[in-house]
Amino acid sequence: MPTSHLLAEHYQRSLRADEVLARIYSHYPDGPKLHQLAPLDQLHIGGISASARLLNLLDVAEHSLVLDIGSGLGGLMRQGSALGFHMVGLDITHRFNILNKALSEIAVHQNGAAQRWVTGNAGALPFAANSFDAVLFQHSLMNMPDPAQVIAECHRVLRPGGKLVMHEVISGGQSANLRFPVPWADTPEHSHLLDIAMLLQLLKEGGLQLLHCEDWTSTALEWRQRQGQKEQATAKAVLSPQWVFGERFVEMSNNLLENLSNDAINVVEISACC
């Protein structure tokens, strides 16, 4: 099976989309607010506040048209749309895109800026050169086996002066001790973490100028610890990551916390420009 199909299968095999929508209609008949969707659609370390911080690196007047690579269930897209950014979400998992669009259609902020959903591969972006003002990555480059090609494609579709921003998981100092499964991979074969030196080198080689790089690991660890306590009451929650990952998420969550605690993974924020 091609790598792209294996990746899509990892994310969608436990997805209960119809049940998710039925649950939302039942609990939020007037439409869910962004923070109510966050336990489901902000599938990254840091949640909705991390997405807000990432979007704050962009200026809606300068970066009106934004490509979200690895858009998942669209939490970042809807947040950006509510701020006035025109968001295009690209994900390799088609069932994610279908549910992402459905969630945007029923969310309270539905009168935000335009959104568009595309199923595709980040290594061969289906867009013309100079198409976007900004490109976002949030916990998605780690799923891509050829990051150099992905970064080259980002450079191609960004307009001159365009911006790339990332909130990414990378290899830590003890990466040999990384425990699986984690939300982005069940096994090491499907995890493609870079260390910080390699990531910065690839950005440079891809024609992007680094603007800033900040380590978020301690903040990420604190958030994961708090979130783990909330997830212990997941049976009472309207929405949770288990509606995406199924029972696998319990072990994924525990491993994620241990990997952060043991320096097997780090979390960084990066911005760069063409």
Side-chain angles (χ1 to χ4, degrees):
M1 184 180 293
T3 300
S4 59
H5 292 174
L6 289 171
L7 178 58
E9 180 61 18
H10 166 75
Y11 281 109
Q12 68 188 13
R13 75 170 186 255
S14 300
L15 180 63
R16 297 152 63 185
D18 291 341
E19 294 176 63
V20 164
L21 291 173
R23 196 167 177 84
I24 291 172
Y25 288 131
S26 174
H27 286 82
Y28 308 123
D30 296 325
K33 297 178 181 178
L34 296 186
H35 74 272
Q36 292 169 328
L37 287 174
L40 175 80
D41 68 4
Q42 299 276 356
L43 294 175
H44 52 263
I45 302 167
I48 199 167
S49 60
S51 294
R53 178 167 165 166
L54 192 64
L55 289 164
N56 195 48
L57 296 173
L58 303 178
D59 182 338
V60 71
E62 184 179 356
H63 309 109
S64 174
L65 185 57
V66 179
L67 174 62
D68 180 4
I69 293 183
S71 49
L73 294 182
L76 181 62
M77 286 183 68
R78 281 179 285 279
Q79 249 178 292
S81 171
L83 294 172
F85 294 101
H86 296 267
M87 304 293 298
V88 177
L90 179 125
D91 203 284
I92 207 163
T93 305
H94 188 58
R95 288 184 61 204
F96 269 18
N97 288 330
I98 293 172
L99 182 54
N100 182 350
K101 183 178 180 181
L103 293 173
S104 287
E105 289 171 348
I106 62 176
V108 167
H109 86 292
Q110 60 184 318
N111 293 324
Q115 298 176 63
R116 180 184 169 202
W117 302 266
V118 178
T119 300
N121 191 322
L125 293 173
F127 308 110
N130 306 323
S131 296
F132 294 95
D133 303 312
V135 173
L136 301 178
F137 287 85
Q138 190 168 41
H139 290 30
S140 52
L141 191 65
M142 59 192 181
N143 271 139
M144 300 173 187
D146 190 352
Q149 175 62 22
V150 171
I151 290 169
E153 280 290 274
C154 290
H155 186 273
R156 181 183 67 81
V157 303
L158 278 169
R159 64 166 173 77
K163 196 169 185 180
L164 179 147
V165 297
M166 291 181 166
H167 170 221
E168 278 295 318
V169 178
I170 60 172
S171 293
Q174 302 298 320
S175 59
N177 298 323
L178 182 61
R179 293 190 61 173
F180 292 88
V182 286
W184 65 90
D186 286 327
T187 64
E189 290 77 12
H190 301 132
S191 179
H192 303 287
L193 299 181
L194 301 168
D195 63 37
I196 187 60
M198 178 59 72
L199 176 53
L200 296 182
Q201 182 65 25
L202 288 178
L203 291 172
K204 181 178 179 180
E205 292 174 355
L208 293 159
Q209 178 182 352
L210 183 68
L211 298 175
H212 95 286
C213 176
E214 184 173 346
D215 190 290
W216 279 21
T217 307
S218 60
T219 300
L221 176 57
E222 292 170 3
W223 181 89
R224 186 60 252 169
Q225 289 169 332
R226 293 194 304 271
Q227 201 67 13
Q229 294 172 355
K230 294 179 183 178
E231 288 162 2
Q232 290 177 2
T234 189
K236 299 179 182 178
V238 176
L239 298 171
S240 84
Q242 289 197 29
W243 292 91
V244 179
F245 294 110
E247 294 304 317
R248 294 180 297 159
F249 185 72
V250 175
E251 187 177 7
M252 289 175 173
S253 174
N254 291 336
N255 287 342
L256 192 58
L257 178 57
E258 182 163 342
N259 290 331
L260 281 166
S261 300
N262 295 340
D263 193 36
I265 59 174
N266 295 155
V267 180
V268 294
E269 174 192 88
I270 290 173
S271 62
C273 66
C274 290

